[in-house]
Amino acid sequence: MKASAYNYYVPYNDGTIFMNGITEATFWVSDEYASLFRQIIESPDQFNEYEAFINKLSSKGFIINEDTDEKEVISQKYNSLR
């Protein structure tokens, strides 16, 4: 698994807003945990002890399978809106 190329991290109110540009999923994390959460997203295979959290991040598009073509996902999403 790997991090989506479309994840964005925006500092906000003593924390960080995590957003995925494809799924439009967002959540806020306090400064205390933001660094850890970002590390989990960037290297999910190194954090097996957080399997449930990784599954949640995957369902929201923050973490994707290695073979996922995100440009194709965006193209399909665009075409479905036309």
Side-chain angles (χ1 to χ4, degrees):
M1 300 191 84
K2 65 181 181 179
S4 168
Y6 297 91
N7 290 335
Y8 302 96
Y9 309 97
V10 180
Y12 182 76
N13 283 353
D14 297 323
T16 301
I17 296 173
F18 287 59
M19 179 190 170
N20 181 272
I22 295 176
T23 64
E24 300 176 20
T26 60
F27 64 96
W28 178 88
V29 178
S30 70
D31 284 337
E32 180 180 1
Y33 296 104
S35 178
L36 173 61
F37 283 26
R38 193 163 176 174
Q39 288 175 18
I40 293 169
I41 290 170
E42 297 298 325
S43 302
D45 295 332
Q46 295 180 12
F47 292 92
N48 294 326
E49 66 271 25
Y50 297 108
E51 182 180 358
F53 182 55
I54 290 169
N55 289 338
K56 183 74 165 182
L57 290 168
S58 179
S59 74
K60 300 296 183 183
F62 291 95
I63 297 173
I64 58 174
N65 290 321
E66 290 288 339
D67 60 348
T68 300
D69 181 351
E70 290 187 292
K71 290 180 182 175
E72 180 61 27
V73 171
I74 292 169
S75 178
Q76 290 175 359
K77 187 173 181 176
Y78 172 78
N79 287 331
S80 74
L81 298 173
R82 292 171 60 188

